[in-house]
């Protein structure tokens, strides 16, 4: 049964609405203020939020704003005691599903509730189903990840994200931060493998002036920068044993000293780490400290490779087509069916990053509105057998013997002429549309029409 949160500062109104909604079979909870509602929303999911607009501490419009800013898809219905049209306009403008003016008829109220709840199955869940915090994907695998993120983000538990290169681990890390209570504090990333061992300690913990040769000024480390926020330790599997030990100590004691410093610094940092190694294997092989592993992987999240969730490919293609069309100021909005088939059968060793690069190049190279297979640059690893059916050579039409009588040039010219004629017929002689149909520029179409005397 759908769950509904009722927010109103007036007790009688809260009780009235709760009785009304419970009677309809909904699970109803109440909050006595906007602030209380914010707290509840951070931990619990609702299918609908109904809120009074006029409330003393944090009003309904501010609550709505918060919900929208945090990408929460729950529809919001606002109630106001005064038939004040400005409030109603503001509510709708700021993304409220609807509003209702007190006093209202019970049936009108229930009608709005039902329709708002209906809107979830049509839009919000669909929205949710194909993206989450900038992560695109509607496969069952991704939905599970979205759900996990939503549940663990507010808990402050350390998270270890693992998955092949290019699967979106960094996006997942950011989503966790954005959904956490520390969302408005810093998210500080560091790529462990990119920093030599001699420097990583001072990157993580900072150093005092004169701590070592070259330390001409004091430095604030990652842990201080990320205080009250999240530190993202990328490629954590590359940490050397020495640094692993030092990191473990900080995680245990929640305090440390800068390199060469004397002051003990206390911090409150959530660690989100990522790796494309199998850290459990690294632990077994004695290359990664087991105690550190368990501290980091309080919640493990595996991001599956793209080939294990092929249903995400069309969604991602669409998303990247829009992105790069806008960026390159082009209008490439589609892949030809054949090009899409090639991608659906491709293994994507470089995962989403590779798909993004393929589409970026495709949009850059393509001169028509549609990406053809020729504009796809794939690396070697194709999924063999299926591709045979779409091999261009095998697909070539068979020619009649006429080609040997008239010669290639004449034969091709005849085909071209017939194609132009047919396109003109299909478009009621609109040259513009016919050119489009043949994916040609208007100029070359007009040129060929002249050449073949089709005017
Ligand atoms: N689900 C997704 N939706 C949209 N973009 C994605 C998705 N997954 C990955 N990307 C994009 O692909 C690129 C690679 O993603 P990201 O950096 O998060 O991967 P990664 O798993 O951290 O890879 P690596 O292990 O190589 O660091 C980025 O440009 C990212 O925006
Ligand atoms: Mg990464």
């Amino acid at each position: 049964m759908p769950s509904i949160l009722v927010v109103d500062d007036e007790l009688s109104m809260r009780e009235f609405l709760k009785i009304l909604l419970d009677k309809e079979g909904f699970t109803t909870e109440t909050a006595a203020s906007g602030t209380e509602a914010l707290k509840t929303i951070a931990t619990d999911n609702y299918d609908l939020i109904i809120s009074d607009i006029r409330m003393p501490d944090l009003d309904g419009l501010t609550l709505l704003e918060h919900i929208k800013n945090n990408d929460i898809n729950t529809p919001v219905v606002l109630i106001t005691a005064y038939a004040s049209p400005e409030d109603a306009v503001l509510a709708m403008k700021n993304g409220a599903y609807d509003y209702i003016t007190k006093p209202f008829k019970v049936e009108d109220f229930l009608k709005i509730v039902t329709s708002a709840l209906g809107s979830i199955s049509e839009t919000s869940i669909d929205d949710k189903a194909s993206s989450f915090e900038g992560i695109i994907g509607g496969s069952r695998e991704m939905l599970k990840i979205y759900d996990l993120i939503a549940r663990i983000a507010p808990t402050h538990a350390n998270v270890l994200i693992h998955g092949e290169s290019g699967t979106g681990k960094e996006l997942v890390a950011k989503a966790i931060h954005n959904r956490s209570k520390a969302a408005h504090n810093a998210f500080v990333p560091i790529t462990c493998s990119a920093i030599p061992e001699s420097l990583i300690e001072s990157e993580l913990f900072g150093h005092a002036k004169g701590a070592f040769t070259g330390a001409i000024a004091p430095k604030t480390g990652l842990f201080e920068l990320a205080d009250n926020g999240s530190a993202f330790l990328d490629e954590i599997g590359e940490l050397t044993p020495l640094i692993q030990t030092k990191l473990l100590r900080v995680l245990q004691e929640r305090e440390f000293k800068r390199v060469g410093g004397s002051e003990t610094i206390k911090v409150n940092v959530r660690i989100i780490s990522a790796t494309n190694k199998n850290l459990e294997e690294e632990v077994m092989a004695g290359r990664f400290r087991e105690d550190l592993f368990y501290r980091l992987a309080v919640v493990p999240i595996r991001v599956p490779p793209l080939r294990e969730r092929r249903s995400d490919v069309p969604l991602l293609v669409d998303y990247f087509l829009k992105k790069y069309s806008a960026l390159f100021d082009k209008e490439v909005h589609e892949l030809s069916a054949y090009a899409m088939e090639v991608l659906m059968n491709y293994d994507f060793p470089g995962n989403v990053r590779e798909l993004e690069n393929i589409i970026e190049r495709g949009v850059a190279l393509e001169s028509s509105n549609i990406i053809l297979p020729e504009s796809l640059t794939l690396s070697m690893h194709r999924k063999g057998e299926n591709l045979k059916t779409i091999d261009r050579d095998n697909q070539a039409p068979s020619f009649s013997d006429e080609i040997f009588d008239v010669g290639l040039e004449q034969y091709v010219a005849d085909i071209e002429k017939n194609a132009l004629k047919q396109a003109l017929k299909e478009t009621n002689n609109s040259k513009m549309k016919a050119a489009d149909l043949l994916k040609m520029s208007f100029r070359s179409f007009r040129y060929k029409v002249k050449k073949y005397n089709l005017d």
Side-chain angles (χ1 to χ4, degrees), residues 169-170 232 234-235 353:
K169 296 187 292 296
E170 184 154 356
F232 177 49
D234 204 359
E235 303 191 36
R353 179 182 291 117

Side-chain angles (χ1 to χ4, degrees), residues 128-427:
K128 222 189 193 169
S130 53
S131 76
F132 178 89
E133 294 283 337
I135 309 171
I136 309 297
S139 59
R140 204 131 58 99
E141 288 80 356
M142 291 312 287
L143 293 188
K144 274 198 228 150
I145 291 181
Y146 302 160
D147 185 56
L148 186 59
I149 295 175
R151 280 186 294 120
I152 56 107
T155 65
H156 211 72
N158 289 343
V159 183
L160 174 70
I161 307 162
H162 62 118
E164 289 178 14
S165 183
T167 45
K169 296 187 292 296
E170 184 154 356
L171 287 182
V172 170
K174 282 191 188 135
I176 294 169
H177 176 75
N178 289 342
R179 284 290 175 118
S180 76
K181 290 180 182 129
H184 47 281
N185 295 330
F187 173 88
V188 189
I190 185 172
T191 306
C192 302
S193 61
I195 302 157
E197 183 177 26
S198 57
L199 291 181
I200 196 153
E201 209 182 330
S202 97
E203 284 295 326
L204 292 175
F205 311 120
H207 62 237
K209 184 179 171 185
F212 46 84
T213 347
I216 43 173
K219 178 184 170 72
T220 313
L222 168 98
F223 277 93
E224 279 177 78
L225 293 172
D227 195 15
N228 292 319
S230 316
F232 177 49
L233 305 182
D234 204 359
E235 303 191 36
I236 189 95
E238 308 302 321
L239 285 185
T240 60
L242 175 73
I243 304 296
Q244 288 179 30
T245 307
K246 296 202 163 167
L247 180 59
L248 177 67
R249 201 176 308 143
V250 177
L251 294 190
Q252 283 166 338
E253 286 155 21
R254 299 196 160 268
E255 59 178 43
F256 61 92
K257 289 187 175 118
R258 285 184 175 185
V259 177
S262 51
E263 188 195 348
T264 301
I265 299 163
K266 279 197 175 299
V267 285
N268 173 27
V269 174
R270 177 196 222 153
I271 311 275
I272 305 173
S273 39
T275 177
N276 48 30
K277 283 189 171 170
N278 183 334
L279 263 202
E280 267 158 333
E281 268 172 22
E282 295 295 294
V283 168
M284 303 255 244
R287 286 187 293 263
F288 201 87
R289 290 188 67 125
E290 189 175 13
D291 40 12
L292 178 59
F293 171 75
Y294 285 113
R295 289 252 168 201
L296 293 173
V298 177
V299 181
I301 297 185
R302 173 179 182 264
V303 188
L306 188 53
R307 65 185 166 280
E308 284 179 21
R309 46 180 167 109
R310 290 182 189 277
S311 63
D312 288 340
V313 172
L315 288 173
L316 286 162
V317 164
D318 235 37
Y319 173 75
F320 292 135
L321 280 175
K322 285 204 186 85
K323 174 173 168 183
Y324 289 103
S325 278
L327 207 62
F328 299 151
D329 201 13
K330 284 190 160 186
E331 303 225 349
V332 186
H333 294 311
E334 243 187 302
L335 243 66
S336 79
Y338 175 61
M340 186 56 102
E341 197 181 333
V342 170
L343 287 187
M344 287 305 276
N345 286 293
Y346 181 60
D347 268 350
F348 296 102
N351 293 296
V352 183
R353 179 182 291 117
E354 184 179 9
L355 175 59
E356 178 164 6
N357 290 340
I358 290 171
I359 300 299
E360 179 182 5
R361 276 195 299 265
V363 173
L365 291 173
E366 201 52 70
S367 49
S368 71
N369 292 349
I370 237 182
I371 295 194
L372 301 172
E374 296 86 280
S375 308
L376 300 177
T377 22
L378 310 184
S379 60
M380 315 290 73
H381 310 256
R382 294 178 176 208
K383 205 172 134 209
E385 69 273 34
N386 290 355
L387 271 169
K388 277 206 192 105
T389 57
I390 44 177
D391 185 313
R392 277 265 138 157
D393 288 343
N394 286 350
Q395 233 204 6
S398 52
F399 301 104
S400 76
D401 283 349
E402 194 198 332
I403 195 171
F404 302 121
D405 297 333
V406 298
L408 180 65
E409 224 161 297
Q410 182 60 47
Y411 191 81
V412 171
D414 285 346
I415 292 180
E416 194 169 57
K417 185 173 167 188
N418 283 334
L420 296 175
K421 268 199 209 157
Q422 198 177 327
L424 282 168
K425 205 171 126 196
E426 302 243 334
T427 56

Side-chain angles (χ1 to χ4, degrees), residues 409-410 412-414 416-417 420 431 440 443-455:
E409 224 161 297
Q410 182 60 47
V412 171
D414 285 346
E416 194 169 57
K417 185 173 167 188
L420 296 175
K431 278 185 208 148
M440 298 170 68
R443 273 185 56 195
S444 48
F445 185 85
R446 202 179 43 190
Y447 167 81
K448 287 189 199 263
V449 164
K450 243 196 187 130
K451 177 175 156 194
Y452 296 120
N453 260 327
L454 297 176
D455 257 330

